[in-house]
Amino acid sequence: MLRKIIVLTIVVGFVWACKTKLPSVSDTSKKPNIVFIMADDLGYGDVGFNGQTKIKTPALDQMAKEGVVLTNHYSGSPVCGPSRSCLLTGTNTGHTTVRGNPNWTTSGADVVLKEEDVTVAEELKRAGYHTAILGKWGMDEYGVSGQANAQGFDYFYGYRRHGEAHHYYPKHLWRNTEKVPLEGNIPEETFGQYSHDLVSNEALSYLDQRAESKQPFFMYVAFTTPHYELTVPEDSKEQYKDLGWEKKPMKKGHYYNDEEGNVAYAGMVSRMDRDIGRIRAKLKEHGMDKNTLVIFTSDNGHEYDRGFFNSNGDFKGRKRDVYEGGIHVPFTAVWPNNIPAETKSNHQSGFWDFLSTACEVAGIAPTKDDLDGISYLNALKGEKQKAHEYLYWEFNEGKGPRQALRKGDWKLVRQYQKEDELYFLSEDVGEENDLSKANPKKLKELQALILTARTDDPNYELVKIVKKK
């Protein structure tokens, strides 16, 4: 009799479990979606939630109000190529495969992601996700291994190579590995189909498609705005005309800029903001918003502004600098019922943390155990967060090599043929007071640490590089 009762209990339990469809690690329909949106050359101070007063960013400000702002988030690099490599692979510029933009290598050869690199897209596919990259891939200068579809992305639409993304009215974009001609586009006349709009609309279409599937998705939207060239359709300029702003005349050269820079720049940022709002509205339309983590940031510091917009905020430097202005970037994230609204975190994080964060959201451990990244999911949720021992950057373009290391509130800056600089950021975020002479013990500590922060790479030796012709 007892045996029959036990068997009956097991059967009833099994039937109940089947009917209620208990969630498990393999039950991908319960996994959160992830949308990662990245601007190109947007400064920390270019958004309203970080103090911008001239450029209107209502969608991003609303996103920050509904979610969290990380006030100490860093890009992977002060330029886009290596920054994206850090984001994708979970490693900083001392260890990632692509440590510089095309042509900026010791050997003179272009470097692309390797077949053995494990990207965040590959990790999420392992967890059952559909993956897409829309916009600027910029990792494919040559060879199969550098293609988005070879690095874990099921779908790609946008700019394949780095240089292609310099123009907003290109003659073609790419869909996966197929060239998509844009009939009627004249790049030098900034005429035709505006690529930012095409990417935005593709993101909306992708969300429409995913709404029909129970499979979780990872959508990486890599906007090119507001990177040079400075051009935007007239409707995005209207709110900034006739405001009495100082004029900044622009010329056409490699970049086919509009005639007036300040209005064009503001219009580009606001157009991107508008489309981020459209993406969030589309998620809500399909009832996917509550199960979707949305992150927004920028690939590095600003390049255009010289003070009118205060794109730096309180920071020194800009794109290509390892001062805060080159690498300290805006960050906000929203995830209803998981991220508390109207919150801030001063947790120190970097692009190389995203892979580990995405893996934790997806319920898996990263494939590799030698990553530089630490999941910042707890910081997003307002919970106790593990801290980094240090953050590290290196950069070899132009006036490089340049290196920086942040340990707690102390930051070491090392530049070609200059003495090392030491700053205490909690009291000097503008890096105005070099404390290297006043704190020799701390200086030596960080100097010793920076020697351990990188692996040697024959393509990226810390020497003066002459750009390949």
Side-chain angles (χ1 to χ4, degrees):
M1 182 67 180
L2 178 61
R3 183 179 178 183
K4 287 182 178 180
I5 293 173
I6 293 173
V7 171
L8 181 62
T9 301
I10 292 172
V11 170
V12 170
F14 176 76
V15 171
W16 178 85
C18 290
K19 285 184 176 180
T20 55
K21 199 178 180 183
L22 290 175
S24 67
V25 173
S26 62
D27 185 5
T28 58
S29 66
K30 301 297 181 182
K31 291 179 182 288
N33 307 308
I34 302 171
V35 174
F36 190 95
I37 304 172
M38 187 164 67
D40 199 334
D41 291 4
L42 185 79
Y44 182 87
D46 277 332
V47 290
F49 66 81
N50 281 340
Q52 178 57 227
T53 58
K54 292 185 174 72
I55 304 173
K56 306 305 179 185
T57 57
L60 285 169
D61 298 344
Q62 182 64 30
M63 184 172 163
K65 185 176 181 180
E66 294 176 19
V68 64
V69 173
L70 297 192
T71 60
N72 271 316
H73 189 69
Y74 288 89
S75 65
S77 166
V79 294
C80 70
S83 201
R84 292 158 203 268
S85 183
C86 293
L87 177 78
L88 290 164
T89 65
T91 52
N92 64 32
T93 41
H95 301 123
T96 202
T97 297
V98 181
R99 302 190 191 183
N101 278 339
N103 300 333
W104 291 104
T105 58
T106 311
S107 63
D110 290 330
V111 176
V112 299
L113 293 177
K114 302 173 184 176
E115 185 175 348
E116 58 266 31
D117 285 325
V118 179
T119 69
V120 63
E122 290 175 293
E123 299 284 36
L124 290 175
K125 276 182 66 66
R126 182 165 59 86
Y129 280 65
H130 191 275
T131 58
I133 158 71
L134 309 171
K136 182 177 177 179
W137 172 242
M139 298 272 94
D140 182 9
E141 296 305 305
Y142 70 90
V144 174
S145 70
Q147 296 176 5
N149 298 120
Q151 292 294 338
F153 285 97
D154 295 308
Y155 183 66
F156 162 57
Y157 177 81
Y159 294 101
R160 186 169 166 177
R161 299 182 63 183
H162 174 85
E164 291 177 340
H166 285 185
H167 302 295
Y168 287 91
Y169 294 89
K171 292 186 176 181
H172 69 270
L173 290 174
W174 294 85
R175 179 171 282 109
N176 297 320
T177 57
E178 299 297 321
K179 187 179 291 188
V180 180
L182 299 179
E183 301 295 340
N185 273 27
I186 307 174
E188 58 274 17
E189 295 182 16
T190 59
F191 177 84
Q193 301 176 72
Y194 191 59
S195 62
H196 169 86
D197 292 353
L198 296 175
V199 169
S200 298
N201 290 335
E202 195 73 18
L204 299 179
S205 295
Y206 179 78
L207 293 178
D208 285 335
Q209 295 166 22
R210 300 323 303 167
E212 302 299 320
S213 171
K214 291 185 178 181
Q215 183 183 15
F217 63 86
F218 165 48
M219 183 176 76
Y220 169 27
V221 184
F223 286 128
T224 48
T225 43
H227 190 290
Y228 274 96
E229 58 200 7
L230 296 190
T231 183
V232 69
E234 289 299 314
D235 62 320
S236 287
K237 299 178 183 179
E238 290 302 322
Q239 65 176 316
Y240 298 113
K241 291 180 178 179
D242 305 319
L243 296 180
W245 283 4
E246 65 180 55
K247 300 294 183 182
K248 188 170 180 182
M250 304 294 292
K251 295 181 180 180
K252 293 193 177 191
H254 170 74
Y255 298 111
Y256 307 122
N257 300 308
D258 289 350
E259 292 182 1
E260 212 297 291
N262 287 337
V263 169
Y265 187 79
M268 293 172 78
V269 175
S270 287
R271 196 176 192 88
M272 176 183 65
D273 178 83
R274 177 202 71 183
D275 292 332
I276 291 170
R278 292 170 69 207
I279 288 171
R280 292 196 63 210
K282 181 65 72 171
L283 287 168
K284 189 172 184 178
E285 174 189 328
H286 290 304
M288 299 188 295
D289 56 316
K290 289 182 173 56
N291 195 39
T292 302
L293 167 63
V294 182
I295 294 174
F296 170 80
T297 189
S298 175
D299 67 342
N300 46 250
H302 81 95
E303 181 169 23
Y304 167 74
D305 186 43
R306 293 300 182 270
F308 180 72
F309 291 115
N310 194 29
S311 293
N312 273 0
D314 296 326
F315 303 142
K316 178 170 74 174
R318 56 181 185 271
K319 181 179 179 178
R320 298 185 181 85
D321 287 319
V322 292
Y323 292 119
E324 295 292 285
I327 54 178
H328 200 143
V329 291
F331 181 107
T332 186
V334 63
W335 185 8
N337 303 321
N338 288 277
I339 294 177
E342 297 187 78
T343 55
K344 289 187 177 182
S345 170
N346 62 3
H347 170 64
Q348 297 169 21
S349 56
F351 267 27
W352 46 90
D353 293 328
F354 176 62
L355 183 148
S356 295
T357 305
C359 284
E360 184 173 2
V361 170
I364 60 173
T367 300
K368 295 187 175 182
D369 57 8
D370 59 348
L371 301 177
D372 297 306
I374 296 174
S375 171
Y376 48 65
L377 183 58
N378 281 359
L380 300 184
K381 292 183 173 183
E383 300 172 357
K384 186 176 180 180
Q385 170 69 50
K386 181 180 179 181
H388 281 279
E389 178 188 0
Y390 64 85
L391 304 176
Y392 172 79
W393 303 264
E394 64 181 51
F395 179 66
N396 244 23
E397 281 189 26
K399 297 180 181 179
R402 296 171 173 176
Q403 294 171 274
L405 183 143
R406 177 171 183 173
K407 180 178 174 61
D409 285 328
W410 290 95
K411 183 179 175 185
L412 177 71
V413 175
R414 174 170 289 178
Q415 303 190 76
Y416 182 66
Q417 294 185 335
K418 293 183 180 181
E419 292 187 3
D420 287 350
E421 303 163 31
L422 182 68
Y423 300 99
F424 191 61
L425 295 180
S426 63
E427 297 178 0
D428 181 26
V429 72
E431 296 168 292
E432 296 177 349
N433 302 308
D434 179 7
L435 301 176
S436 58
K437 298 292 189 296
N439 292 271
K441 185 176 179 180
K442 180 59 68 173
L443 177 66
K444 288 182 180 179
E445 175 192 339
L446 297 193
Q447 286 174 328
L449 187 57
I450 203 169
L451 294 177
T452 70
R454 73 184 306 268
T455 53
D456 291 333
D457 187 319
N459 288 303
Y460 299 104
E461 297 174 16
L462 292 177
V463 296
K464 189 71 175 176
I465 293 178
V466 178
K467 188 174 182 179
K468 182 182 70 175
K469 300 296 184 183

